[in-house]
Amino acid sequence: MSASSPAGRWSSATLASLLGVQVFQVVLAWSVLTVAGPLATAVVLALGTLPRIAMMSGLTAGLAGRFAAHRLLAVGELGRAALALAAAGALAVSGLDFTGLLLASLLFGLVEAITEPAAGSVPALIADAAGRQRMEALRTTLFRVTVVVGGPLAGLGALLGLSTALIVGGLVFLVSAALFLSLRPRPSDADGTAPAAGHGPAAGMPGPPGADAPKAGEALALPGVRAALICTVLIELGCPGAFGVGTLLLADDRGWGAVGFGVLVGAVGLGTVLAALAPGFARRLRGSGSGLILACVLTAAAMAGLAFSPNLPLAAVLTVVMALAAAAASAATLGVLFSGPRPEALGMVMGVVMAAGALAAPLSYVLVGLVARLSNPRAAVAACAVALLAAALVALTDRTLRTATAPEPPTGPQAGPQAGPPADPAAGADPSATDAPPADAPADATGEPSADGQPGHLSAKGA
């Protein structure tokens, strides 16, 4: 893949975009903390995630279907560049106030919500089927690299000054925009069909529910589903706040500075990558109630250790363990949900889970900031550990969830490929570059109830 080829320009643009996002987010979080304190930081970061709810619900997918994907991405990169450069100018002249930082966070999140649905359709625009597979694998690799090294690099860049780091980030976004604009859709195929140019529903966006789909109340009445949903909410209440706000406040409280915060951001990314690269480990947890309990307890223990870590190296190691265990807990919970409901109920169940997770994450930021303001950052991270312990307790007290076991994957020549949710590198756990099933997909993603009717499987029988 040469740098001048369409795939080479696409990969360079994607790498520049991912690195620019890391720089902007690290500098923004540190700037808000410096200007307005812990609670205000949590509020700004939480509000910045709200536009993603519109993305997850499919409200912003219409733009991806109306405009060519590569042009939409280029416009988004130009918007990010303008935000970064404007923020750099304000910091250099008079400093950003709370209102300016809040507006920057909201606009940055809005750009992501608009452009992210189009990101997955660019490979189909410029490459054939074989090229698309290679590009998707490369996109996964690029994301994994940037989530590990992007945070530390952003922290080191902040040593030059926050405004300087933002200028560098803005220039990176401009390079990404130019590369995306240089892409051209490939000619029509031999059979006369043209590649998708961004028309129609965006890839991975959920379609309308079927006529036989149950209502939310009926779906939640299925055995074990309600308890699994509560576990999901508790995990989402604990993990995002500890990852996004807790690490920031601890780095400031311990005097580790922006570099220390960047190192912890990279540690979170490394833990997530290790979870995605351990398919055997994830397969044992997938759909397993005991695995869910163990992962939640391990995450809580790592969080408690992080809260009272005396130095940055130990804190980084504990952060890696925390992110790895949290990813395993999410994989186990999703596996339980996938392996239980009948097919027509699965879409409703997962829709409720996605909505609960999307709403719980910003609330987690605010709660961590509030506890930190009333007490201290150590207490805030410890409170996140309590939420994970509560999730383990819920799983332990619900018999159906506690005894749930991962169904054996189908074997033999008729098994066929495993079905799973679409890969999304932006979520941080995309294993599409491996031959193993995704870490967040169940061993049996067909949604069929267990054939033996054992209580260890979540089943729709008797519901």
Side-chain angles (χ1 to χ4, degrees):
M1 182 185 299
S2 65
S4 60
S5 66
R9 295 196 300 272
W10 169 85
S11 61
S12 299
T14 301
L15 178 60
S17 177
L18 292 172
L19 287 175
V21 168
Q22 291 283 338
V23 171
F24 186 89
Q25 291 179 340
V26 168
V27 173
L28 174 70
W30 194 260
S31 299
V32 180
L33 180 62
T34 304
V35 170
L39 182 57
T41 301
V43 171
V44 168
L45 296 180
L47 292 178
T49 66
L50 291 182
R52 298 176 188 173
I53 299 178
M55 179 183 71
M56 295 176 65
S57 63
L59 294 179
T60 61
L63 289 175
R66 183 177 296 273
F67 301 103
H70 67 296
R71 293 176 181 171
L72 185 60
L73 288 177
V75 172
E77 295 302 288
L78 289 174
R80 286 171 167 171
L83 283 173
L85 294 176
L91 281 174
V93 174
S94 60
L96 280 174
D97 58 7
F98 174 76
T99 303
L101 291 168
L102 175 61
L103 182 61
S105 180
L106 283 172
L107 292 176
F108 200 83
L110 181 61
V111 171
E112 179 187 20
I114 293 174
T115 60
E116 187 59 33
S121 59
V122 173
L125 191 71
I126 62 175
D128 55 15
R132 289 197 297 270
Q133 293 180 356
R134 291 192 297 268
M135 291 172 67
E136 288 299 337
L138 179 60
R139 185 176 185 232
T140 300
T141 302
L142 292 175
F143 175 79
R144 289 172 176 169
V145 170
T146 54
V147 297
V148 175
V149 304
L153 288 177
L156 290 174
L159 290 177
L160 302 175
L162 296 180
S163 60
T164 302
L166 284 173
I167 291 174
V168 172
L171 295 177
V172 168
F173 284 132
L174 289 176
V175 171
S176 177
L179 290 171
F180 277 129
L181 281 176
S182 70
L183 298 177
R184 294 292 181 268
R186 62 189 177 90
S188 300
D189 294 334
D191 59 359
T193 60
H199 299 286
M205 289 295 112
D212 57 349
K215 297 180 180 179
E218 297 172 351
L220 294 179
L222 298 174
V225 170
R226 192 184 303 272
L229 177 61
I230 294 175
C231 287
T232 300
V233 172
L234 289 172
I235 292 172
E236 290 295 335
L237 280 175
C239 292
F243 294 162
V245 180
T247 53
L248 171 65
L249 300 182
L250 285 175
D252 179 60
D253 183 63
R254 301 297 174 84
W256 297 334
V259 176
F261 174 51
V263 168
L264 295 182
V265 170
V268 172
L270 179 58
T272 304
V273 169
L274 291 177
L277 295 178
F281 173 63
R283 190 180 299 113
R284 293 185 181 93
L285 289 177
R286 193 178 298 123
S288 169
S290 59
L292 169 61
I293 296 170
L294 176 62
C296 287
V297 171
L298 181 58
T299 306
M303 282 182 181
L306 173 65
F308 299 96
S309 177
N311 55 66
L312 181 58
L314 178 58
V317 172
L318 289 172
T319 302
V320 171
V321 175
M322 177 176 67
L324 173 61
S330 296
T333 308
L334 288 174
V336 168
L337 289 167
F338 266 102
S339 63
R342 57 188 184 270
E344 63 271 18
L346 183 60
M348 178 61 70
V349 169
M350 295 312 298
V352 173
V353 169
M354 290 177 65
L359 293 174
L363 180 60
S364 173
Y365 288 172
V366 175
L367 290 177
V368 169
L370 182 60
V371 174
R373 181 176 181 178
L374 296 177
S375 181
N376 55 64
R378 296 185 300 276
V381 177
C384 295
V386 172
L388 269 294
L389 288 177
L393 183 62
V394 169
L396 186 64
T397 55
D398 186 276
R399 181 175 181 273
T400 305
L401 184 55
R402 182 181 68 249
T403 58
T405 55
E408 291 296 328
T411 59
Q414 297 180 349
Q418 301 246 343
D424 182 8
D430 177 10
S432 60
T434 66
D435 294 331
D440 58 353
D444 180 8
T446 61
E448 291 290 340
S450 58
D452 54 7
Q454 294 295 326
H457 296 280
L458 293 185
S459 172
K461 295 178 180 179

